[in-house]
Amino acid sequence: MSAPVARAAARPSIQVAAPSRREFLYYIWGASMALLLGQTSAGLIWFAFPRFKEGEFGGTFAFNPEELPNAGAAPVTVASGRFHISHTPEGLRALYQVCTHLGCLPKWVPTNFRFECPCHGSKFELNGAWIEGPAPRNLDRFIATVTYADGSTVETPADGGPIPLDPEQEITSIQIDTGARIVGELHP
Ligand code: FES
């Protein structure tokens, strides 16, 4: 007589119900909301972070206070930031290098003690003021911030005028924001 064969227990069948039309619409709605939220968050993050890095034109440059020229001396040019640091008896200005006529780059000419544009001959004083030539206005300025050893700061005024420097205080940092340009005044 043969041994009894154990029969495998019948496995319960699993049936997956197809989502109803209402559930399907919920899923679509949920996916759309998740996509919208993702896009909104990505947009906020993009706006929250600066578009320009430090030391890149359009961003902020650190200018070494030890390189600051004496009042009335020739300016210092920072080519990567496209600006000149001009120090007159009235104070410090960060002048945008680009000519206000058609965009050439005026150079500092020591023998004439002024900026001269090689394209059409516009000339500008040490403080960026127009002297002669077809340029319609003074050189533009960037916003500069000077920080002293006591932690106080002074910034380029809204009209682009000079920052008067306090000779009694040690300057610990000079920052030039090349993303904040003040348009030079029209000359008569
Ligand atoms: S671009 Fe400078 S004078 Fe024309």
Side-chain angles (χ1 to χ4, degrees):
M1 195 172 166
S2 61
V5 176
R7 285 180 177 274
R11 288 195 296 179
S13 65
I14 300 171
Q15 291 189 348
V16 178
S20 67
R21 180 181 158 77
R22 174 171 294 191
E23 285 172 331
F24 180 73
L25 289 175
Y26 276 141
Y27 294 148
I28 295 289
W29 179 82
S32 304
M33 290 307 291
L35 187 65
L36 184 66
L37 276 173
Q39 285 179 333
T40 306
S41 306
L44 283 173
I45 289 168
W46 191 82
F47 274 110
F49 284 97
R51 281 183 291 160
F52 299 101
K53 295 189 195 123
E54 193 167 311
E56 176 182 281
F57 183 73
T60 301
F61 282 73
F63 183 81
N64 184 352
E66 291 179 6
E67 294 177 17
L68 180 67
N70 292 326
V76 172
T77 299
V78 177
S80 55
R82 302 180 205 166
F83 62 83
H84 308 284
I85 293 293
S86 147
H87 186 187
T88 63
E90 292 73 43
L92 178 153
R93 282 187 172 100
L95 302 171
Y96 186 30
Q97 262 190 308
V98 174
C99 182
T100 53
H101 181 221
L102 293 177
C104 291
L105 299 180
K107 300 273 184 301
W108 179 255
V109 179
T111 47
N112 295 333
F113 205 76
R114 63 189 182 191
F115 296 101
E116 297 184 358
C117 185
C119 294
H120 314 99
S122 288
K123 303 188 176 54
F124 305 89
E125 293 179 13
L126 175 62
N127 66 4
W130 173 87
I131 300 171
E132 64 181 30
R137 60 180 202 272
N138 299 339
L139 291 177
D140 298 341
R141 300 89 195 255
F142 291 127
I143 301 241
T145 304
V146 172
T147 305
Y148 292 111
D150 67 359
S152 61
T153 60
V154 275
E155 192 178 271
T156 300
D159 65 358
I163 302 175
L165 297 178
D166 183 348
E168 303 299 315
Q169 290 234 50
E170 181 197 352
I171 296 174
T172 54
S173 119
I174 301 174
Q175 301 282 324
I176 313 298
D177 183 356
T178 59
R181 182 160 55 97
I182 297 172
V183 172
E185 305 89 341
L186 292 169
H187 60 73

